[in-house]
Amino acid sequence: MFDFLPFAEVVRLSGAPLRQVIAQVRFGGQSMLGTHEGAAVVHEALADHYPRFLTEQQQVVTMTATGASSELLPQYRLTDLDGAWSIVIGREHLTLETTRYATWTSFRQRLEAALTAVEDITNIRVRERVGLRYINHIEPDDHGLFSQKVQPELLGPAVDMGWRRHLNTMISQVIAEDGEMQLLLRYGLAADPSNLSAPYLIDVDCAKVQPRTFSLRETLDDFDALNDVSYRCFCWCVPEAYRKQLASAVDD
């Protein structure tokens, strides 16, 4: 998929500028997951890794011919003690979030465990969407620039210090499609661009959007494919020398 993205050898980028990684599966409504009792059963299966059990509210907006309406639905957050890892459960979704990503293998294992726990108490027939998102914040060099860390195709005016000092907003978004897969790339200066210490955003959001009969194995295989595209997209966004610098942090 997305063959225009060059092959990149998979190495652990221990110094990667990741801020958050999010995986989500959306499925046909499961009333059991919309209740405290149902979510508590999932929590019991996963409590060794996610001891905290929190109740939240999710706002759902519905568009009709007469306008928009919204309602608040309960969802449940399972987290570790410091909030670095979370599973969010609602009647139509399961989301895995972390700010402490290490490897795809370990992340995938947690995702499989969460989906297995949900599958054990539900009868999911249809998988509506699967998505995987990597949010990176790349710090500037000592001069407030990114030319050694971000490919020039993405920098635009930010490559020039004259522009850099006066930028108000610089966020771009590209959506590409290949068969059932969608790749959304957001990039730019998101937080106070005139501040020369503000990081550069590279937000890679990859999804399969075609509804399918739910299968745990096929869902995990699809996440493997999403991860491959996401990794190659990130490697396209940054120079090879910077990638080697990130990889060398393994030995630090």
Side-chain angles (χ1 to χ4, degrees):
M1 306 294 285
F2 297 103
D3 293 339
F4 64 88
L5 295 172
F7 169 80
E9 181 183 1
V10 177
V11 296
R12 183 182 176 192
L13 302 179
S14 185
L18 278 169
R19 289 297 174 268
Q20 190 174 32
V21 181
I22 305 167
Q24 185 179 75
V25 181
R26 299 198 67 85
F27 37 73
Q30 302 293 312
S31 57
M32 185 72 166
L33 298 180
T35 68
H36 186 277
E37 293 78 9
V41 174
V42 177
H43 178 236
E44 182 62 27
L46 301 170
D48 287 347
H49 291 292
Y50 310 92
R52 301 191 71 206
F53 180 46
L54 308 174
T55 301
E56 300 179 342
Q57 295 291 323
Q58 176 190 23
Q59 185 172 26
V60 178
V61 178
T62 303
M63 300 297 296
T64 67
T66 58
S69 62
S70 65
E71 60 178 327
L72 291 176
L73 298 178
Q75 64 179 19
Y76 304 92
R77 181 176 294 272
L78 321 181
T79 80
D80 57 10
L81 293 180
D82 59 5
W85 286 91
S86 295
I87 294 172
V88 183
I89 304 166
R91 70 182 187 185
E92 295 182 346
H93 73 90
L94 179 144
T95 305
L96 174 64
E97 305 173 352
T98 186
T99 57
R100 196 174 289 163
Y101 182 93
T103 67
W104 173 245
T105 298
S106 61
F107 186 89
R108 187 187 192 275
Q109 289 171 346
R110 284 180 178 258
L111 180 60
E112 181 176 7
L115 287 170
T116 299
V118 166
E119 188 179 38
D120 285 346
I121 67 164
T122 61
N123 183 23
I124 300 174
R125 294 185 174 87
V126 177
R127 186 196 80 189
E128 298 288 348
R129 181 184 187 275
V130 292
L132 181 63
R133 185 177 180 186
Y134 288 89
I135 303 172
N136 299 272
H137 287 181
I138 297 178
E139 299 297 328
D141 62 21
D142 293 341
H143 304 289
L145 296 174
F146 301 92
S147 56
Q148 302 301 312
K149 298 182 177 182
V150 179
Q151 293 286 23
E153 293 88 341
L154 302 183
L155 286 175
V159 75
D160 181 275
M161 182 56 74
W163 276 95
R164 180 79 173 83
R165 292 182 183 279
H166 299 283
L167 283 172
N168 179 270
T169 302
M170 201 194 88
I171 292 291
S172 297
Q173 176 173 294
V174 177
I175 300 175
E177 295 182 345
D178 189 350
E180 296 180 3
M181 193 177 293
Q182 182 182 84
L183 172 61
L184 191 156
L185 173 63
R186 303 178 188 89
Y187 58 95
L189 290 160
D192 189 10
S194 63
N195 178 356
L196 296 185
S197 65
Y200 199 88
L201 172 70
I202 294 182
D203 182 350
V204 182
D205 192 348
C206 202
K208 277 202 166 184
V209 297
Q210 182 69 29
R212 286 184 171 274
T213 300
F214 179 79
S215 159
L216 178 59
R217 180 181 295 275
E218 289 182 6
T219 297
L220 292 171
D221 287 345
D222 283 340
F223 272 111
D224 288 334
L226 296 179
N227 180 65
D228 171 68
V229 171
S230 299
Y231 179 78
R232 287 188 289 124
C233 182
F234 176 78
C235 290
W236 178 85
C237 290
V238 301
E240 183 178 1
Y242 180 53
R243 292 205 311 273
K244 290 181 178 179
Q245 178 185 334
L246 297 178
S248 69
V250 171
D251 299 321
D252 289 352

